[in-house]
Amino acid sequence: MTITMPRLDRLPAQERGLTIGDLEGLLEFWLQAARVLVLAGSLPDGLPNDTYARYIRLARQYGVKTILDADGEALLLGVEAHPTLLKPNLEEAERLLGRRLGNLPDIVHGA
């Protein structure tokens, strides 16, 4: 099952009339039937950087696996919440680790 909200990222969360509690309530409802939660992309304006981390912890309470594909502070905080799978691109991984990953051994060591 895929739930998407087209163009949701174009307006700050407050202007859409959604609160963080509303979003988490919807997520908790859908997690009851989910097996995997994919958290990807930039967070919409107005949502705190720890949103993905909170969602990862919430999903774990329901036994739902998580895949995280994010960048910056949202990625760092999400990693600390221990998603099932982390999928950064090379540039995101380099920023997360604070070093260049110039070859396959560097990438494997960074993982």
Side-chain angles (χ1 to χ4, degrees), residues 55-77:
Y55 292 178
I56 290 165
R57 288 189 288 273
L58 183 61
R60 188 176 303 112
Q61 292 176 13
Y62 286 90
V64 174
K65 295 177 183 353
T66 52
I67 299 171
L68 178 62
D69 181 4
D71 194 13
E73 190 73 11
L75 174 61
L76 177 63
L77 295 171

Side-chain angles (χ1 to χ4, degrees), residues 2 20 24 30 39 52 58 88 100 106 108:
T2 302
I20 293 170
E24 289 180 0
W30 288 109
L39 302 164
Y52 285 158
L58 183 61
R100 183 154 160 62
D106 289 343
V108 170

Side-chain angles (χ1 to χ4, degrees), residues 21-73:
D22 293 335
L23 293 173
E24 289 180 0
L26 286 170
L27 178 62
E28 196 162 0
F29 172 80
W30 288 109
L31 284 174
Q32 295 174 54
R35 289 182 284 174
V36 177
L37 173 64
V38 178
L39 302 164
S42 301
L43 290 168
D45 292 339
L47 292 182
N49 287 329
D50 71 339
T51 299
Y52 285 158
R54 285 197 328 274
Y55 292 178
I56 290 165
R57 288 189 288 273
L58 183 61
R60 188 176 303 112
Q61 292 176 13
Y62 286 90
V64 174
K65 295 177 183 353
T66 52
I67 299 171
L68 178 62
D69 181 4
D71 194 13
E73 190 73 11

